[in-house]
Amino acid sequence: MSLIRKVVSNFANDSTEPGTSSLIEFIRVIYLFLYEMKNTVAIGFLGTQLDFAGKGPQRWERWRPTVALCQQENLVINRLELLHDVRGRGLAERIALDIAAVSPETQVRRVEMNLRDAWDFEEVYAALHDFARAYAFDTEREDYLIHITTGSHVAQICWFLLAEAHYLPARLVQTSPSRKGDVDVGGSVSVIDLDLSRYDKIAQRFARERTDGLNFLKSGIATRNAAFNRMVERMEQVAGRSRAPMLLVGPTGAGKSFLARRVYELKKQRQRLAGRFVEINCATLRGDSAMSALFGHVKGAFTGAQTERAGLLRAADGGLLFLDEIGELGADEQAMLLKAVEEKRFFPFGADREAESDFQLIAGTHRDLRLWVAAGRFREDLYARINLWTFDLPGLAARPEDIEPNLDFELERHAHDQGRQVRFSAEARKRYLEFAASPAARWSGNFRELGASVTRMATLAEAGRITETAVEEEIDRLRGAWQADGRDQDACAQILQSAAENLDWFDRCQLNGVIAVCRSSSSLSEAGRRLFAVSRAGKKHANDADRLRKYLLRFGLDFERLRGAV
Amino acid sequence: MQPLQLDGSEGEGGGQILRTALALSMITGRPFRIERIRARRSKPGLLRQHLTAVQAAAAISGAVVQGAQPGSQTLEFAPGTIRGGDYRFAIGTAGSCTLVLQTVLPALWFADAPASVVVTGGTHNPAAPPADFLIRAWVPILRGMGVDMEVELQRHGFVPAGGGCVRATVRPCHALQPLELTERGALLGCTATAVVAGVAGEVARRELDAVASRLPQAQQQIRQLPANEGPGNVLMLELRHERCSELFTSFGARGLPAENVAARLLKEQHAYARSNAAVGEHLADQLVIPLALAGRGRFTAALLSSHLATNIEVVRRFLDVDMRTRAGERCVIVEAG
């Protein structure tokens, strides 16, 4: 060390041209070498708003973050990598000149980075990630600071993520203006080192916020089913990062509509949506009224269209549209919906001018839409569009471990709605849960059914207590409903299997009724008499057995087969 | 040689102790180590303007320096031989050119060859005396002590834009003549100068009018600078006496009425006028090193400021000189030898 000192000293003294600035530079380089003093390099965006303060001398009276960063009394920036796009070149050049005036130590390097949309998370992240990977970081000799005060908030978040993930071996630096009344326009800087333990708190906060988001989607129900929890977790991630459509697949009562609403509320909470939550079951939409209900109509579009109607898509502008049972949508509606999802534009019924609506779409279905696409009943392109994020919601029977938390949730909800706290006795609770999780419990109505079951018991509970007797009573009720279900209501599906899918619900109801009567009759004639009891009274010749046989034949069925299938 | 130990938090506790130590260290060849630099200030440690002074001192004396980085509270400085020649120093943050000159010029008086120093940055910074003060008040007294030195203001530089330029030329001398400056003598004349750059000329007019209302005898002068040298506004009052000149300064600021700028200036002038001293507070600070280097003499100051006391204390540490202060009639007498 002392030898080097001497060399430096001699060099300085023997120089034939003492006092040149290159001598200072030489000495500085030696210091850097000797005392491991590193150069400080700052990287940051040109602030097209904040750094712009005109060309006149008054610009010096405005706080300009990029200039201010180089104006600090206790921080020397040796090099500034100033990121800007092609439009910002003029401003960047002027800023570089001003920095040269107030900070002769700073070398400004302009880096052109053209972003199509500085608010597009994916694009900004990719651009900065590329920048970070291409940059020749020399951490041995340079300290890096990322200036996060300028650039879009998206850029700020991306810087943070890249620094936290150590893609950028840098600390973050923030500049802030002086307090009002302070004559110093340079303001102040604060350096944020993400490796310091106190920033763990921020990381913990992020983690907590995510957990909060998860809990929110699950409505605070501490669900235990791993597959379901994974699904909700993924849903929370998608809801947080994307506005792409989501598809919820699951049986009725599995909570599709409920989850869609929670996603909406979560997004609204996080300021990602400003508009309304609009929900419609497509199975209830038919014909002209379907078009008009969804897309609106103009006055006089069809008979009875006396006034203009905005339609649900426009009502959901800026918000979230939940289309349940999207498989039931007609071909015309599917085509228009595709246009609306892709272009955020569509034609209201009878209109020759397009309407606009920008909404987040969540679709729900209990069907396997792939089969419907194969059968030509659902548009393949629309399916491809909504199938980006598909979430399968298992029914309650597939999630026996979640019955208990949902039971508590339903009791809590009842207490909240009715202002009356109801509890199970320990034995009653044990008995109910045992039954609920057993294979005997089909839960064909899923969570909606569980909710109804709890509501019944809670309503009937004497003195706020659900007893074992009440539970046994409820179990009988559920068994009865499922038996009826199993034998009669779903007889079509049982007997016709997938062919039942080709029947209108109208026909299925009728056929189910007919099957139920046949099963409880000993002969075709008896069944015929019971089924046509009213009309046969006015007939001379009773031909009800024949009518029934022909009816059954239309579905490829006969009486013997129905009897045998019991 | 053992480095001299200094505590930077003592006395005035700011940059003055460092600048005085740098100057005296170069002249005496005595290395020093200063700790707790600006320890009690809100932004402790070395700031950029101090670093520039350290680097400038290192450049003219071939010093070896340790701890010269922003925020550092400890600095070691081991000077070599003071060399003449042409120097250029650029100061960031519109830091004061005069403070750097006050650090390096005393050393260059004793260099091996003539020197020229060009400093760019702030020439009119509220935290330091302006270049005009060096030129009008300080340089004439030093010429009287045998120093061959000229200082020239080439371009104004205000806070925050900077961009100013001051050039100083020095021919070395062997020793300084003793300083005898106990009274200012009769007033020969006074000039009020209002400088405006990128600021309405009306501001200068109002400032001068306000000065005239109290000092009708003052000559008035407006220095209207090109707008690109601004924004900046400073009001100066030069008082020329038989034995010495003084120059007082007041800075304009956004939102501060021109009349208040003038009132501040007049307050300083009034304090000086009431005293019996030859020099005012700031000029006194800058005479301690010359007086100490001359080895004997005295001057009278309007008050014993913390800067003055700190300078005297540092001088005592570096030089074998008996320097003391005592109260005079409406003044403080600073004596050496």
Side-chain angles (χ1 to χ4, degrees), chain A residues 301-336:
Chain A
F302 51 86
T303 318
Q306 277 153 358
T307 52
E308 193 191 85
R309 180 178 181 185
L312 297 172
L313 263 66
R314 264 185 284 177
D317 190 16
L320 190 147
L321 177 67
F322 176 54
L323 293 180
D324 202 1
E325 298 308 347
I326 196 167
E328 316 308 308
L329 218 50
D332 292 347
E333 288 81 18
Q334 287 181 28
M336 190 62 82

Side-chain angles (χ1 to χ4, degrees), chain A residues 255-266:
Chain A
K256 295 189 292 283
S257 154
F258 187 74
L259 264 178
R261 185 179 280 277
R262 298 303 278 187
V263 167
Y264 164 76
E265 278 161 12
L266 184 70

Side-chain angles (χ1 to χ4, degrees), chain B residues 32 46 121 138 200 210 215 238 268 276 326:
Chain B
F32 72 96
L46 290 172
W138 189 61
L215 289 176
E238 185 197 355
E268 253 196 277
N276 210 12
R326 61 186 164 88

Side-chain angles (χ1 to χ4, degrees), chain B residues 134-206:
Chain B
L134 287 192
I135 296 164
R136 297 286 173 180
W138 189 61
V139 170
I141 293 173
L142 285 154
R143 286 229 189 90
M145 296 176 76
V147 172
D148 186 356
M149 170 173 71
E150 270 171 60
V151 178
E152 186 191 346
L153 172 62
Q154 295 188 324
R155 189 185 190 272
H156 288 72
F158 297 94
V159 174
C165 184
V166 183
R167 185 168 189 271
T169 48
V170 181
R171 282 173 199 286
C173 59
H174 290 288
L176 299 186
Q177 306 297 314
L179 175 67
E180 280 296 334
L181 189 57
T182 50
E183 51 196 43
R184 57 181 88 147
L187 180 68
L188 304 176
C190 70
T191 309
T193 308
V195 187
V196 280
V199 167
E202 191 219 337
V203 172
R205 187 71 266 150
R206 278 168 54 201

Side-chain angles (χ1 to χ4, degrees), chain A residues 452-496:
Chain A
S453 168
V454 172
T455 304
R456 280 193 296 269
M457 289 187 288
T459 308
L460 296 173
E462 297 288 345
R465 209 155 178 80
I466 302 172
T467 58
E468 241 185 306
T469 328
V471 165
E472 289 301 345
E473 228 174 86
E474 177 59 25
I475 289 174
D476 284 344
R477 255 196 305 272
L478 288 170
R479 273 211 173 105
W482 293 331
Q483 255 163 27
D485 239 26
R487 249 203 341 256
D488 304 322
Q489 284 183 4
D490 234 2
C492 278
Q494 230 180 343
I495 295 162
L496 295 171

Side-chain angles (χ1 to χ4, degrees), chain A residues 12 21 34 63 74 84 96 171 173-174 184 215 237 242 247 253 255 266 287 290 328 330 423 460 487 552:
Chain A
S21 51
L34 274 182
W63 174 70
N74 49 3
H84 64 89
R171 290 174 298 162
V173 65
Q174 220 172 352
D184 178 14
N215 273 335
Q237 286 170 342
S242 162
L247 177 62
L266 184 70
E328 316 308 308
R423 287 193 181 78
L460 296 173
R487 249 203 341 256
L552 290 175

